[in-house]
Amino acid sequence: MLTCRLDPRRGYVVGVIVRNGSLRTGQHVATPTARGKIRMLETADGKRVAAVEPAAPALIVGFEAAPTVGEAFVAAATPVEASFAPAGAVP
């Protein structure tokens, strides 16, 4: 996580850089302190996209709560697969 802000219309908007794999709209994401389902992905220049490839910065809309800046995140097809195992269960 690089940034996190609360947009009054869209909810939490989280800035990330994808390190491994790719992100797609509809995937579930989790950090040690927050989780959610990706409702919308945007590139760094504000274009809506369906997927983001490795090494690309992106904005994620869909977290249920604000994750802590600096946390790692995982993404998967189901909420169970997206539980953040390295730091314990997601509350």
Side-chain angles (χ1 to χ4, degrees), residues 38-76:
I38 300 175
R39 291 184 288 148
M40 184 173 59
L41 284 170
E42 291 181 355
T43 60
D45 59 355
K47 285 179 35 180
R48 276 189 178 184
V49 292
V52 179
E53 298 303 319
L59 295 175
I60 299 174
V61 175
F63 272 92
E64 298 171 356
T68 303
V69 173
E71 289 183 324
F73 69 96
V74 294

Side-chain angles (χ1 to χ4, degrees), residues 3-89:
T3 63
C4 179
R5 65 182 171 86
L6 179 59
D7 183 293
R9 286 192 248 165
R10 301 190 301 174
Y12 290 101
V13 179
V14 178
V16 300
I17 293 181
V18 179
R19 291 174 57 184
N20 298 318
S22 61
L23 287 178
R24 290 180 177 72
T25 302
Q27 282 185 311
H28 294 268
V29 289
T31 72
T33 60
R35 63 176 146 193
K37 184 174 181 179
I38 300 175
R39 291 184 288 148
M40 184 173 59
L41 284 170
E42 291 181 355
T43 60
D45 59 355
K47 285 179 35 180
R48 276 189 178 184
V49 292
V52 179
E53 298 303 319
L59 295 175
I60 299 174
V61 175
F63 272 92
E64 298 171 356
T68 303
V69 173
E71 289 183 324
F73 69 96
V74 294
T78 67
V80 174
E81 292 172 356
S83 64
F84 198 82

